[in-house]
Every structure is written in structure tokens, then in C-alpha cells.
Amino acid sequence: MPAFSEVAAAIPYEGPTSRNPLAFKHYDAEAMIEGKSMRDHLRFSVVYWHTFRGTGSDPFGAGTMQRPWDDGSDSVENAQKRARVAFEFFEKLGAPFYAFHDRDVAPEGKTLAESHKNLDAVAAVLKEEQQRSGVKLLWGTANLFSHPRYLHGAATSCNAEVFAYAAAQVKKALEVTHELGGEGYTFWGGREGYQCLWNTDMKREQEHLARFLHLAVDHAKAIGYTGPFYIEPKPKEPTKHQYDSDAAACLNFLRQYDLLPYFKLNLETNHATLAGHTMQHELEVAGAAGALGSIDANTGDLLLGWDTDQFGTDIYMTSQCMYSILKYGGLTTGGVNFDAKVRRESFEPIDLFYAHIGSMDAYARGLKIAAAMRADGRIEGMVRDRYASWDTGLGAEIEAGDHSFASLEKRMLDQGEAAPNASGRQELFENVINEYL
Ligand code: XLS
Ligand code: NI
Ligand code: NI
């Protein structure tokens, strides 16, 4: 008996006029845009943690989710059964990818050896289901933040034994990810930061984090894993400050410790908000550095100051994301990974479908809008015009390195004043963008 019996077969594409809540209005996997199918542009991915382990609990109340296939126990059998249900969901939704933490898919044992064994037992089912369904692993990761041993962090813990335990856990998670053909491996530094600076040796902690990531790179080489590593920036929560606070901080860290060749960024919308940035800002920072890897697609709430991990349906936002992604060459190993959870009040299994379908449509529509903007070329042209002074004469000479402070001073002494500025036309830009929505 299927777990999602209300959804008989794969969610169909019915087009923008459809009123069927279980159909796509914009995500037409086969449709071609800029020479690539929508499926290959968007590379949608479902996260195991929120979708199959989220209980709906919050600091004020217990779990609410109805998940009839899950007996609520920590047994390996339950985990294996859950894995099969997860693949039924991925397949019916038509998501080509999924992502997980080691401890989402398999229960933590009493010892590390037992945890490894549990993970292997569930990974065998994941592998079988991947082969049966064709759904692939976008990335794997290790949960280095839930267990009490990680209360001071993992790689940045003041306890060297905890660093060692975390290393052992990542070694295994990386091996399982590789075994399952994972296209990437993510580090989100959940507690790699501080709560109080008086008790913290920040320099030493950051050096330990760099050492940890180098050990991961070394182990990847040893086992033949050649995919990218991702760092997922987030400025705070659960800690007061996380070292990987935003895209710029991550890039600086990766450069300082010679890790940039092996790492790209996995940017999450709600984390950008917490950092006081827009997602567009984060995408531009990463893209300009050639480090745009993948996105955790979600959204926050304007009035709540934490990581609410909602499904994004705002077309203005998805258009901005897709415009930047296309601009920097599109997603290759990464994807649009729904690190998002249904609200506590949306407790029925069918809500998982509504949530994913709506957000997939919002990104698909964003992709169409971004592609239309690019095909038209007006925005690009307006930006180019704004910088026209750099294309010839003085600007081109400066860019070519043909000037010094002395030569520039001479020029301005002769001229007396710089040529007048043109208008920034922000309002016009914003108006033009609305024409495509
Ligand atoms: C938490 C993060 C987490 C990572 C994976 O805020 O978004 O879910 O994506 O560890
Ligand atoms: Ni995330
Ligand atoms: Ni998050």
C-alpha cells in the first residue's frame, strides 16, 4: 500500500490555466530554455531532514505531523521503511535529487561503530531505491550539531576529542555519499561559532576548522571522491555568531586557508536574510568569485527574525535568484534544494506535495522570467551603458593597467573636473523588471 495514496501517479504538468492543486502550472521538466531543459536548469532536490524527519515541534509545543508510515521509533527497520516512502515521494513529485544528513536517514547508535553500522544498513536501501527510481543524491552531509557532544561545536570545539569524533563522522558520511554517487558534499557549521567571546580563542578555532576541512579534502582524494565540497553560510542560530557568516566571510576564510580550489558555496535564502543581505546579494558575491555552487531554496518571514525555512513562493525573489544563476553559467553539480519545511499547522502528508509543487512552480516561473529578461537584453544593455566610460579611452586605459596616480593627477589637473555623471535610473530599472513579471 503506497504511503501517498491520494497521489496516484507522477504530478503532471498542466500549464498556467490549470486549477488542479496537484499539477504543475510552470514546471515543465522537458521544456527547453536557453538550450537546456527545465529539469537540468533547476535540478530540484528534496531534503530528507525537514520532509521526512520534521515533527512540527517548536519551543512551545510538541510535534504535530501525521506520518502514518513512521512508527516513531529509532529502529533501523523504521528508518529503512521511511527511506522507501521518501523515494515514493521523490518519484511522484518528479524531483530528480534529494539530500540528507547521516543522522536523518539512520539512527545514531550507542557507539560510533553502531552508528556506522546503522548508516550502512539504511544506505543499502537508499542505493537500491536510487537504482530503481533514477533519483540521485545531490549532496550528503553530517549532522555535527544535534548530539550533546557537539555543544561547543565540532571542528571548532575546545575539546580535541570532539574534533576527532566529528572527523570520524564526516569520514563515514563522505564515504557513504561517494558510494551513493552524491554530486556534492556540504558543510554547514551549525555550532562552529561562539556564544561568548570571553571564553573563545577565535583564531585557534578558525585554524582548527581549516585543518578539519583540509582533512576532508585529503580523505576525498584517498577514496576517489572528485565532486565539490560546499560551505553553507549562515550568520547565527543556533550560535550567536557562526564563522561562516555570509558568502564574503566564507570566501575570505577559504582563500586564507588555501581551500578555495575545493570549495564552492551553497547559499540559503533565509540565511542571507539573517545576515542582513538579500539572496541576490549572496548570489552575486559567490558568482563573481566563481564559487556559486548550489542553493538551499527557502524563505524567511518578514516579521520573524529566525530561520523559519518556509517554502518560497515569491516570484520576484525566484526571478532574482534565477537571473543571477543564469548570469553565472547556471547550476552544474548543484541544484535548487528545498531546505524548507511545511508549517506546524500543515500536518497532513498531502501538504508536503502542495508545498513542493508550489515552490517548484515559483522557481520554474522565475527561470522563465529571468530567461525572458536575458533574451530581451534590455537590463543587460542598461547596465552596460552605465559603465560605458570604461569601454574606451581613459577607462579602457585604466583597466589595462596603463595609468598611475601621477598620470591620473596630470589628466585631472589639465581637465579641472571629471566629466558629468549620468543618472543611476534605479526607478526605471525596477519598472523594466516588472514588465517581465
Ligand atoms: C540550517 C541549515 C541546514 C543545512 C544542512 O539552518 O540550513 O539545514 O542546510 O546541514
Ligand atoms: Ni540549508
Ligand atoms: Ni537553514
Side-chain angles (χ1 to χ4, degrees):
M1 173 72 179
F4 298 99
S5 45
E6 294 140 288
V7 182
I11 300 295
Y13 168 71
E14 291 184 358
T17 57
S18 167
R19 292 294 173 264
N20 175 3
L22 291 171
F24 293 116
K25 322 286 186 297
H26 294 278
Y27 178 56
D28 181 4
E30 309 305 331
M32 300 297 283
I33 288 183
E34 295 193 9
K36 213 159 93 172
S37 70
M38 282 185 128
R39 180 189 286 109
D40 291 343
H41 270 291
L42 293 159
R43 295 168 59 85
F44 285 129
S45 166
V46 174
V47 306
Y48 211 94
W49 52 100
H50 288 312
T51 299
F52 288 96
R53 303 313 311 279
T55 62
S57 68
D58 71 10
F60 301 92
T64 58
M65 295 299 156
Q66 291 175 358
R67 303 291 182 250
W69 56 83
D70 197 314
D71 68 15
S73 79
D74 255 349
S75 74
V76 170
E77 294 67 41
N78 188 36
Q80 289 173 323
K81 202 169 140 212
R82 191 193 290 126
R84 305 232 186 249
V85 173
F87 275 80
E88 181 194 331
F89 181 77
F90 308 153
E91 266 193 291
K92 287 185 170 172
L93 185 65
F97 294 98
Y98 74 112
F100 66 79
H101 300 84
D102 49 0
R103 300 297 178 253
D104 305 332
V105 290
E108 174 131 19
K110 282 193 197 65
T111 60
L112 181 64
E114 205 183 292
S115 298
H116 281 3
K117 201 170 131 239
N118 292 350
L119 185 52
D120 284 334
V122 182
V125 174
L126 296 173
K127 192 169 185 181
E128 223 179 88
E129 288 291 304
Q130 283 186 207
Q131 278 163 356
R132 185 190 58 72
S133 64
V135 174
K136 295 192 246 168
L137 178 60
L138 187 70
W139 49 258
T141 187
N143 179 329
L144 305 179
F145 44 89
S146 294
H147 192 281
R149 85 176 66 82
Y150 296 124
L151 85 175
H152 294 301
T156 64
S157 174
C158 46
N159 180 351
E161 296 271 326
V162 171
F163 180 105
Y165 196 102
Q169 205 182 315
V170 169
K171 174 178 179 289
K172 181 69 181 173
L174 184 58
E175 287 164 4
V176 169
T177 298
H178 184 45
E179 170 69 21
L180 294 175
E183 300 199 6
Y185 186 91
T186 293
F187 287 93
W188 168 63
R191 295 185 194 273
E192 312 294 24
Y194 63 82
Q195 299 288 19
C196 164
L197 276 175
W198 290 116
N199 71 6
T200 301
D201 186 337
M202 192 193 275
K203 181 166 187 285
R204 209 165 179 189
E205 289 198 4
Q206 289 194 309
E207 283 166 5
H208 294 165
L209 180 56
R211 162 88 45 173
F212 193 88
L213 299 180
H214 272 292
L215 293 177
V217 168
D218 291 346
H219 192 63
K221 286 182 185 154
I223 64 173
Y225 168 80
T226 54
F229 286 108
Y230 303 122
I231 287 209
E232 183 177 323
K234 182 174 182 180
K236 56 188 165 192
E237 195 205 309
T239 57
K240 165 184 171 142
H241 176 83
Q242 277 169 219
Y243 297 133
D244 301 331
S245 54
D246 65 1
C250 287
L251 289 170
N252 179 58
F253 173 87
L254 292 170
R255 245 185 230 116
Q256 181 175 352
Y257 293 104
D258 300 322
L259 287 159
L260 204 47
Y262 315 103
F263 280 80
K264 289 187 169 177
L265 301 183
N266 176 38
L267 301 169
E268 178 164 320
T269 329
N270 207 162
H271 297 178
T273 314
L274 293 177
H277 302 310
T278 59
M279 183 63 163
Q280 192 182 17
H281 167 99
E282 291 291 83
L283 288 163
E284 290 293 322
V285 170
L292 176 49
S294 197
I295 69 168
D296 271 10
N298 63 16
T299 189
D301 184 291
L302 273 183
L303 303 180
L304 298 175
W306 65 90
D307 200 13
T308 58
D309 287 335
Q310 290 167 231
F311 282 86
T313 53
D314 178 342
I315 291 151
Y316 200 85
M317 184 269 285
T318 60
S319 304
Q320 283 179 329
C321 289
M322 295 317 300
Y323 190 81
S324 293
I325 287 171
L326 291 179
K327 177 171 157 190
Y328 291 106
L331 298 168
T332 53
T333 53
V336 174
N337 180 51
F338 290 110
D339 192 355
K341 59 188 178 205
V342 288
R343 299 303 84 194
R344 184 168 190 267
E345 301 78 10
S346 309
F347 50 78
E348 294 179 8
I350 196 73
D351 290 307
L352 295 172
F353 275 96
Y354 295 144
H356 283 87
I357 290 170
S359 208
M360 286 163 82
D361 261 345
Y363 279 90
R365 203 162 160 191
L367 170 63
K368 289 197 255 181
I369 291 166
M373 285 166 61
R374 281 159 58 82
D376 195 57
R378 250 192 312 162
I379 296 291
E380 231 177 304
M382 284 162 66
V383 174
R384 215 182 308 112
D385 288 350
R386 189 160 177 250
Y387 293 89
S389 73
W390 292 91
D391 293 336
T392 55
L394 176 67
E397 289 161 24
I398 297 173
E399 281 193 356
D402 294 342
H403 273 283
S404 64
F405 265 14
S407 68
L408 294 172
E409 182 193 43
K410 181 172 181 307
R411 176 162 174 139
M412 284 304 133
L413 284 172
D414 290 349
Q415 243 176 257
E417 184 49 88
N421 279 308
S423 168
R425 302 257 191 266
Q426 178 177 334
E427 299 76 8
L428 178 61
F429 270 89
E430 289 166 347
N431 296 350
V432 170
I433 285 157
N434 277 359
E435 290 175 23
Y436 301 93
L437 293 180

